[in-house]
Amino acid sequence: MNSIIVTAGARILVALLLVFSVFMLLRGHNLPGGGFIGGLLGATAFIVYAIACGTAEARKALRVSPEGLAMVGLGVALVAGLISALTGDPFFTGQWYWVGGDSYETAAFSINSVLVFDVGVYMVVFGGILSLILMLEEEL
Amino acid sequence: MSWYLAAPVAIPFVTAVLAFLLRNGPAGRWVSLAGSVALLVASGLLMAQVIEHGVIAGQMSNWEAPFGITLVADTLSAVMVVITAITGLATIVYGMGEIRPRIERLGYHALFHAMIAGVCGAFLTGDVFNLYVWFEVMLIASFGLLVIGGNKAQIDAGIKYVALNLVSTLAFLSGIGMLYGLTGTLNMADLHLAVQEVENQALVTVVAMLFMVGFGVKAAVFPLFFWLPAAYHTPSFSVSAVFAGLLTKVGVYALMRMFTLVFVGDVGFTHEILLWVSAATMLTGVLGAAAQSEFRKILSFHIISQIGYMTLGLALYTPLGLAGGVFYLVHHIIVKANLFLVAGVAQKAAGHNELARIGGLYKAAPFLGLLFIIPAFSLAGFPPLSGFWAKFVVVKASLELEYWFIAFVALLVGLLTIYSMTKIWAAAFWKPHPDGYEPKLSRIPPGDLWPMLLPIVALAVMTMIIGLFPEVFVQLAETAAVQLLDPTHYVETVLGEVAR
């Protein structure tokens, strides 16, 4: 497809979708959203780009292979689960480190394994969906 | 404690990720091997814990049962995880000789370990919905393994396999939904208590039938087995060996678990159905095998007939019957995986899989003949091999209940199994090669041959050990059966941690 309108519009849409996908990922921490929906949105961005400029361009823009991204994501999610071994908790127990306080109410923010898990999910969904769609686009 | 339970699931996943990232070089293969060894160690530690404590449970993420996901291992689960690890390791070693780098680059090892993770997860989970999730992990990974490398026959088999397994998943999932609607819980131990309090017991039986159909397709029992012989002869021998060994057994395990722990309100009805299904499975499987003339197709039909013995053990619903079923599971995984591995070597040495087009293997490789005879006779139930004791216990259990006809069928099927095995023996090993081609093991490069023979020898030795020293294994199976029939300890271990 060689429509100048689509190509020009896609650039803006892609940027918006990518920002929105990260927003959704982080928002999912306490509100509706999260890694799964964020990953879907992120994949959508690259799918729009692939429709506008072709799959080869989209793969180039992504820089890494979507399959690799998905597998690394699975690894990240696993690490989030395995961290709890260090504190002697069961597999996948959430680990929380509060910064500037000691609970949700008082702390400025927290560093925790739950977000790491969500980032892993984000990458798995992002890479998984994208590899499927790109493959289909190239086959058809 | 909970890490003993989490490790058999976590290790294959970590291995899968690393093996995928390293798939382009030989390192991926070694990571895969290391992961298989690690899984074997972890499963051994789990087994030791279970022998010491009886039943162990762990609440993943520290969410208490029945709200979170519980992993729980009783003797049956632990035995199944150990045997999964053994089969996985044997197949990975075999794959070192069989699987080509082209297939490895497509992610063979990652898929393999993801499937093993699914199998271990299914054996260890104490939550019905989680069981469904592990079934899906297993299904998706096994679909990948089935079609990897993609020739036409493989894709054809893959579509049948996936379509029919999705039907089973649908029945299973509907059953889960209805069960949750009836009881408001999905934790198996909690379900054991909650199902007894449901007023409408007829509806529980309906749900039980949905589960039976769902697991029945997975286990390949009559009349839901037709996907199995359509699929198992197409992929590489490593893949078909691990499928033949493990995948249907997950269905049998799920049947054993659900129909001893949850659906025991109307044993006269549900287990009576299982009884006749088992008899029909044994017979159709073995008759199907008699009509086949391809090495792996014969073996595939024999999987079906053997599944009948295991579900028979469950259907009898006595300590001895269930012990027989459990013993049969273990024996069959080792023997059947081994036969598929032998089929791979035979094909590579003689050049084909159709029995009509090969021959002369005994003359070329008498040692291979011995390696075939051990699992083959064990499958048919010759003393002193493992299959004899497995059949003996199951038949004895059915005689004790005076199910004369069922016992007769079980013995008859054993006889017909010998027929099929001698057919393979006569055609592949004894008769001269029809094309005058001389099969030679030396046709396989030694670097490939040794990794392929090693697991075959190891599994054959295991069959012999089980056959010569059956007491230990029968005792283990009896412990498992007692735990299955009286789940009080199981339920207390899972739910008791709430109080703590």
Side-chain angles (χ1 to χ4, degrees), chain B residues 75-76 260 318-324 326 475-486:
Chain B
T75 308
L76 176 61
T260 55
T318 61
L320 192 65
L322 265 169
V326 173
Q475 261 169 22
L476 210 57
E478 275 174 348
T479 318
V482 169
Q483 284 173 353
L484 284 174
L485 284 174
D486 178 19

Side-chain angles (χ1 to χ4, degrees), chain A residues 65 67-68 71-72 74-75 78 81-82 84-85 88-94, chain B residues 2-3 6 9-10 13-14 16-17 20-21 23 58-62 71 110:
Chain A
S65 85
E67 295 88 0
M71 280 317 257
V72 171
L74 186 60
L78 269 172
L82 294 171
S84 57
D89 288 325
F91 196 33
F92 268 116
T93 308
Chain B
S2 74
W3 283 92
V9 180
F13 266 128
V14 172
V17 171
F20 184 83
L21 296 176
R23 69 188 185 283
Q59 317 297 346
M60 294 304 108
S61 312
N62 240 347
L71 292 189

Side-chain angles (χ1 to χ4, degrees), chain B residues 27-368:
Chain B
R29 197 177 310 153
W30 295 108
V31 164
S32 169
L33 182 66
S36 310
V37 174
L39 178 62
L40 187 59
V41 173
S43 67
L45 291 175
L46 176 70
M47 188 78 226
Q49 287 291 319
V50 168
I51 288 175
E52 193 180 327
H53 299 283
V55 182
I56 62 172
Q59 317 297 346
M60 294 304 108
S61 312
N62 240 347
W63 296 107
E64 289 165 355
F67 306 109
I69 290 170
T70 310
L71 292 189
V72 44
D74 61 357
T75 308
L76 176 61
S77 301
V79 166
M80 294 310 287
V81 171
V82 170
I83 207 80
T84 303
I86 291 174
T87 317
L89 179 60
T91 322
I92 285 292
V93 172
Y94 188 86
M96 297 231 152
E98 194 206 2
I99 303 297
R100 300 271 82 95
R102 183 179 74 86
I103 304 292
E104 288 184 332
R105 275 197 293 276
L106 292 169
Y108 168 80
H109 291 292
L111 285 169
F112 188 93
H113 286 282
M115 189 188 76
I116 296 287
V119 173
C120 288
F123 289 149
L124 286 175
T125 187
D127 182 282
V128 185
F129 189 77
N130 198 231
L131 180 64
Y132 162 78
V133 173
W134 291 120
F135 269 36
E136 285 297 283
V137 170
M138 199 173 79
L139 178 67
I140 291 169
S142 62
F143 181 52
L145 284 174
L146 190 58
V147 299
I148 201 167
N151 63 39
K152 237 180 186 170
Q154 276 178 293
I155 307 275
D156 176 65
I159 296 216
K160 286 172 191 158
Y161 175 76
V162 161
L164 290 166
N165 272 287
L166 284 180
V167 172
S168 115
T169 304
L170 209 61
F172 180 22
L173 199 55
S174 325
I176 293 176
M178 288 174 74
L179 199 56
Y180 188 64
L182 281 173
T183 61
T185 180
L186 287 174
N187 184 294
M188 289 183 198
D190 204 24
L191 273 173
H192 171 72
L193 304 171
V195 159
Q196 294 168 11
E197 285 160 20
V198 174
E199 268 176 41
N200 192 347
Q201 282 296 325
L203 202 53
V204 172
T205 309
V206 171
V207 176
M209 296 326 287
L210 275 173
F211 274 82
M212 199 187 282
V213 170
F215 295 150
V217 174
K218 299 271 178 211
V221 298
F222 178 85
L224 308 163
F225 59 79
F226 31 83
W227 59 271
L228 192 150
Y232 276 20
H233 63 286
T234 55
S236 64
F237 289 91
S238 304
V239 171
S240 58
V242 78
F243 278 21
L246 294 178
L247 291 195
T248 48
K249 309 312 170 300
V250 181
V252 177
Y253 166 84
L255 275 174
M256 280 189 177
R257 180 64 71 207
M258 291 306 280
F259 283 84
T260 55
L261 186 59
V262 180
F263 300 120
V264 287
D266 194 359
V267 175
F269 180 72
T270 49
H271 290 58
E272 180 82 16
I273 294 179
L274 270 177
L275 189 69
W276 294 106
V277 162
S278 308
T281 309
M282 287 190 271
L283 263 181
T284 44
V286 85
L287 292 178
Q292 295 298 323
S293 63
E294 207 252 39
F295 210 134
R296 275 196 283 184
K297 273 196 183 163
I298 297 180
L299 296 179
S300 300
F301 271 100
H302 273 295
I303 300 176
I304 299 164
S305 99
Q306 308 282 312
I307 292 289
Y309 286 95
M310 299 163 212
T311 50
L312 174 60
L314 169 64
L316 295 172
Y317 203 59
T318 61
L320 192 65
L322 265 169
V326 173
F327 191 96
Y328 216 107
L329 262 174
V330 173
H331 137 76
H332 182 254
I333 290 176
I334 295 177
V335 163
K336 188 53 88 174
N338 203 7
L339 280 172
F340 273 84
L341 297 181
V342 173
V345 178
Q347 192 250 14
K348 293 230 165 17
H352 212 278
N353 251 325
E354 275 296 334
L355 289 181
R357 299 184 55 185
I358 58 175
L361 273 169
Y362 184 68
K363 204 172 145 201
F367 183 57
L368 186 67

Side-chain angles (χ1 to χ4, degrees), chain A residues 40-130:
Chain A
L40 280 179
L41 281 165
T44 315
F46 276 88
I47 292 163
V48 168
Y49 194 65
I51 291 171
C53 307
T55 52
E57 274 295 308
R59 278 187 193 276
K60 222 168 85 189
L62 188 64
R63 284 156 213 253
V64 294
S65 85
E67 295 88 0
L69 191 66
M71 280 317 257
V72 171
L74 186 60
V76 170
L78 269 172
V79 166
L82 294 171
I83 286 173
S84 57
L86 299 177
T87 53
D89 288 325
F91 196 33
F92 268 116
T93 308
Q95 303 296 319
W96 298 80
Y97 303 100
W98 303 102
V99 178
D102 55 3
S103 71
Y104 179 69
E105 282 80 22
T106 56
F109 64 94
S110 71
I111 300 168
N112 57 70
S113 67
V114 180
L115 182 64
V116 178
F117 179 73
D118 240 3
V119 170
V121 172
Y122 179 91
M123 290 163 76
V124 170
V125 175
F126 193 123
I129 297 290
L130 201 57

